[in-house]
Amino acid sequence: MNATIIFILLITLMLTGMPISISLGLTVLSFLFFMTQVPIESVAMKLFTGIEKFEIMAIPFFILAGNFLTHGGVARRMIRFATSMVGHWHGGLGLAGVMACALFAAVSGSSPATVVAIGSILLPAMVKAGFPTRFGAGVITTSGALGILIPPSIVMVMYSVATNTSVGALFMAGVIPGIALASLLGATTWYRAWKNGYPRQPKAAWRERWTTFREAIWGLLLIVVVMGGIYSGIFTPTEAAAMSAVYAFFVAVFVYKDMTLAKVPKVLLDSASMSAMLLYIITNAVLFSFLITHENIPQAIAEFMVGGGLGVIGFLLMVNVLLLLAGNVMEPSSIVLIMAPILFPVAVKLGIDPVHFGILIVVNMEVGMCHPPVGLNLYVASGITKMGITELTVAVWPWLLTMLGFLMIVTYWPALSLWLPRTLGMIQ
Amino acid sequence: MLRVLDHLEEWLIAALMAAATVIIFVAVVHRYASSVAIPGVQDWLIKVNMSWAQELCIYMFVWMAKFGAAYGVRTGIHVGVDVLINRMKGRTRAGFVLFGLMAGALFTGIVGTLGATFVWEMAHTEQVSADLEMPMWIVYLAVPCGSYLMCFRFLQVAWQFFGTGELPHHDHGHVEGIEDMKSDDVIPVAVVPDLHPAEVLPKGSQEDGK
């Protein structure tokens, strides 16, 4: 009963369009005030302690690192490198788009920014080479979402904050699914290009590949700094994030020289306000998860699931449907922060591995970003391609279908995500 | 006066972001540098205690988060679910937007007041932080200050919306340095004759071959 009231209240407040953080906070305050005897002052304590964890501080650092490298110059280098590597295959520029998106998204950490950066440069070239606009738009919109699966990923940090799962293990677990999904999107691109006879680029000489690789490598080393640092135990995840921010600053200003020192305060301000927004959601989500734990909602759901005979397969299917629906209206970080505390205890009770569950949620978020009617990537892509949402929906469906298929694989084949962290001894 | 506040806010959060990054960077470098045996330097490095870095970083980010959230209201960065209200028109939509903004002001106002009471009580205790030994009430002062500022920003945006009907909007897909970039400079497009001419569809035919 109380659970119903809480969720109706939350959903109603959210639908009025107020910030998600505010609707979470107001739900908690009004429920505690009107329905329980819990003193409101005890909430105040939560507001202070909500974000006082060093692990959470990885988020601002990763955002800062990403913002230093979210630049047209970096996108250009990634596209050149990708084109020289795969451009001579069927649908060369499309394949290069998938690869460039994966690389840029991993480094910049933002899906919409990836769609804009890679899309604005690559799409005109694809149209000129004779690709239909739809094809290019489909490739870029879906591949742009790859970033949240390939580490470093802010959504994974969010999941680890909400469930106390190891960030390092999650990052490692994302590597193979990330590469697999990129390959599958590439395969879809290749197949459609081969079938429709889309043009290829001339094969690049090894010398050219080497030159473009040397240009792109500085940005890509960011991933190595983070992953290598965490795995070898040199840094904690938060320290790795801070180091990657310093590294990204160094590369952007002194190596690539895309950015002048005068632009740095602007990047700092933008990153600070983006991080503050996310940290504000975290604070209120902590408050919200305090409320649902206080009302024993996760336990009630778990008992209902286990008692109702809904096994692991049924539960995971339900989680996927629920998250895909949520992905239609909210952005990934908020979904993870709201849903993870509710679903995680149930998953644990059913014996699902926390890391596998995290990867499943992340892949789900990725699909949600390109899912009609309101995926964020669709909107951004519609802005740069001047196509309507309906037309884009038709354009993305082959890739979207691939992603949904992949989601099923990730859901029911835990070894895909767990093999690497297990082999490296990061989880049992 | 208001402009001074705006600048102070921007300056504060950007500076905190930079300072926290530098502090953690220095702490990590220090940890590894002090294990390298350089006569003289090593002794000095070991004497320098950097254990407070982590705690300071957390508090800096707490301050940054509270004031950054207020700045975010002014720039419209806070994400909400706008599926429903974007389908509405005119007065209904305006009503919902104003309701949302006022709810924001209400929530931050309540939190600010709760925080102020909390800090007031804490100021009468001797609580200090673990490593820095800084009085805790100074650390937590960020909550009332940031929340009241945020409340003020919500009212400011609501007033602006009431007058002009415009809301601040943040562009999540903004990327520096792509305006001046021509795709020709990046990849020279040269179409090679396809190896399977039989499969080339005639021009203008459907792309969708399924």
Side-chain angles (χ1 to χ4, degrees):
Chain A
M1 183 59 204
N2 279 349
T4 326
I5 296 174
I6 292 173
F7 285 111
I8 289 180
L9 194 60
L10 178 66
I11 292 169
T12 316
L13 286 177
M14 274 187 181
L15 285 179
T16 64
M18 69 176 69
I20 290 175
S21 40
I22 301 291
S23 35
L24 282 167
L26 269 182
T27 305
V28 177
L29 280 193
S30 44
F31 185 83
L32 289 181
F33 187 74
F34 292 114
M35 307 286 294
T36 65
Q37 307 298 320
V38 180
I40 297 288
E41 286 72 29
S42 70
V43 174
M45 197 62 213
K46 284 273 155 205
L47 276 171
F48 294 103
T49 51
I51 55 172
E52 267 188 20
K53 279 190 204 146
F54 194 55
E55 291 73 42
I56 298 181
M57 302 311 160
I59 294 167
F61 287 137
F62 277 136
I63 290 178
L64 182 61
N67 279 358
F68 274 123
L69 293 175
T70 306
H71 193 280
V74 180
R76 192 195 65 213
R77 291 180 182 89
M78 302 288 181
I79 292 175
R80 273 199 184 145
F81 171 54
T83 312
S84 78
M85 293 308 286
V86 294
H88 60 287
W89 290 343
H90 284 280
L93 286 179
L95 282 178
V98 175
M99 189 172 158
C101 275
L103 301 179
F104 188 79
V107 170
S108 77
S110 160
S111 290
T114 304
V115 174
V116 171
I118 304 289
S120 336
I121 301 172
L122 199 60
L123 283 178
M126 286 180 78
V127 172
K128 194 179 276 174
F131 289 91
T133 321
R134 274 181 174 188
F135 185 81
V139 172
I140 304 292
T141 311
T142 44
S143 309
L146 280 168
I148 55 177
L149 188 53
I150 302 174
S153 148
I154 288 157
V155 180
M156 286 185 193
V157 182
M158 292 283 185
Y159 176 81
S160 108
V161 166
T163 63
N164 275 326
T165 313
S166 140
V167 181
L170 278 168
F171 277 6
M172 270 312 168
V175 172
I176 291 181
I179 295 170
L181 182 54
S183 314
L184 280 178
L185 290 177
T188 314
T189 311
W190 182 88
Y191 174 73
R192 292 182 60 78
W194 169 76
K195 209 172 153 194
N196 294 320
Y198 292 149
R200 307 156 150 204
Q201 292 291 106
K203 189 167 179 174
W206 281 103
R207 177 197 293 274
E208 194 191 331
R209 288 182 178 171
W210 175 242
T211 330
T212 54
F213 172 74
R214 268 207 341 234
E215 281 214 321
I217 191 65
W218 289 106
L220 296 176
L221 274 177
L222 182 101
I223 306 174
V224 179
V225 168
V226 173
M227 298 303 283
I230 297 178
Y231 174 61
S232 62
I234 301 177
F235 317 129
T236 66
T238 306
E239 285 171 350
M243 297 312 259
S244 73
V246 174
Y247 175 79
F249 161 77
F250 187 77
V251 169
V253 175
F254 298 111
V255 180
Y256 282 167
K257 300 199 178 80
D258 288 333
M259 196 178 284
T260 55
L261 273 174
K263 285 258 173 138
V264 172
K266 175 85 170 63
V267 175
L268 285 169
L269 185 63
D270 286 347
S271 317
S273 71
M274 175 58 92
S275 329
M277 185 266 285
L278 292 174
L279 291 174
Y280 202 67
I281 299 181
I282 297 183
T283 319
N284 289 290
V286 168
L287 218 58
F288 184 71
S289 76
F290 161 76
L291 177 68
I292 57 165
T293 321
H294 181 265
E295 295 296 320
N296 284 327
I297 292 171
Q299 287 89 326
I301 297 179
E303 265 157 40
F304 175 74
M305 293 276 163
V306 177
L310 189 65
V312 176
I313 296 180
F315 171 71
L316 289 180
L317 193 68
M318 191 207 75
V319 167
N320 278 330
V321 172
L322 196 64
L323 290 177
L324 284 178
L325 286 178
N328 273 327
V329 289
M330 275 192 272
E331 48 85 47
S333 304
S334 318
I335 301 179
V336 170
L337 286 169
I338 297 172
M339 299 302 238
I342 303 174
L343 299 173
F344 184 73
V346 187
V348 170
K349 198 157 199 176
L350 288 169
I352 298 163
D353 189 279
V355 173
H356 170 227
F357 196 59
I359 298 299
L360 181 163
I361 290 185
V362 170
V363 174
N364 226 308
M365 297 300 102
E366 224 168 71
V367 181
M369 304 230 46
C370 346
H371 202 283
V374 278
L376 185 54
N377 279 13
L378 281 179
Y379 273 84
V380 180
S382 140
I384 57 166
T385 55
K386 310 277 180 291
M387 287 163 85
I389 295 293
T390 325
E391 202 185 350
L392 258 178
T393 308
V394 180
V396 297
W397 82 259
W399 290 273
L400 194 61
L401 220 59
T402 312
M403 284 178 115
L404 281 170
F406 181 71
L407 177 61
M408 283 300 116
I409 300 175
V410 165
T411 308
Y412 294 114
W413 189 23
L416 183 70
S417 7
L418 295 179
W419 179 78
L420 188 62
R422 223 171 241 165
T423 311
L424 296 173
M426 298 179 91
I427 49 173
Q428 291 90 35
Chain B
M1 176 58 204
L2 214 53
R3 191 166 285 168
V4 176
L5 183 68
D6 288 0
H7 279 297
L8 198 67
E9 190 182 61
E10 289 170 15
W11 183 85
L12 178 76
I13 60 175
L16 284 172
M17 184 93 211
T21 315
V22 172
I23 286 171
I24 294 301
F25 179 73
V26 171
V28 172
V29 170
H30 168 264
R31 192 171 71 214
Y32 284 96
S34 54
S35 64
V36 181
I38 310 167
V41 180
Q42 192 179 25
D43 297 336
W44 176 74
L45 276 175
I46 289 173
K47 263 184 224 144
V48 181
N49 183 2
M50 291 293 288
S51 59
W52 45 267
Q54 204 157 319
E55 193 182 278
L56 184 60
C57 165
I58 293 176
Y59 293 149
M60 282 178 140
F61 274 153
V62 169
W63 277 75
M64 185 202 79
K66 300 300 171 195
F67 286 89
Y71 170 78
V73 173
R74 178 152 66 91
T75 54
I77 203 174
H78 290 279
V79 284
V81 178
D82 50 8
V83 195
L84 199 62
I85 62 161
N86 278 350
R87 282 166 199 256
M88 295 174 179
K89 296 241 158 54
R91 292 182 71 93
T92 335
R93 181 170 180 276
F96 271 101
V97 170
L98 276 178
F99 174 76
L101 291 170
M102 292 324 261
L106 174 73
F107 177 69
T108 47
I110 295 176
V111 168
T113 313
L114 285 174
T117 335
F118 188 79
V119 168
W120 178 253
E121 282 164 14
M122 192 161 260
H124 293 285
T125 64
E126 299 286 301
Q127 278 196 52
V128 288
S129 66
D131 294 319
L132 288 165
E133 300 182 354
M134 195 159 56
M136 283 311 278
W137 68 271
I138 295 187
V139 173
Y140 288 152
L141 202 57
V143 176
C145 292
S147 293
Y148 281 136
L149 183 63
M150 204 170 165
C151 179
F152 171 69
R153 292 299 185 197
F154 268 119
L155 294 173
Q156 198 184 7
V157 171
W159 180 249
Q160 227 171 41
F161 178 73
F162 190 71
T164 62
E166 280 184 29
L167 281 175
H169 176 73
H170 178 82
D171 181 8
H172 284 276
H174 178 74
V175 181
E176 284 286 324
I178 46 169
E179 299 82 12
D180 50 338
M181 207 164 283
K182 291 255 168 55
S183 63
D184 294 351
D185 305 340
V186 182
I187 357 152
V189 172
V191 186
V192 288
D194 203 277
L195 295 176
H196 307 276
E199 282 168 13
V200 179
L201 297 174
K203 264 213 167 94
S205 73
Q206 272 291 308
E207 171 241 334
D208 215 304
K210 306 248 153 163

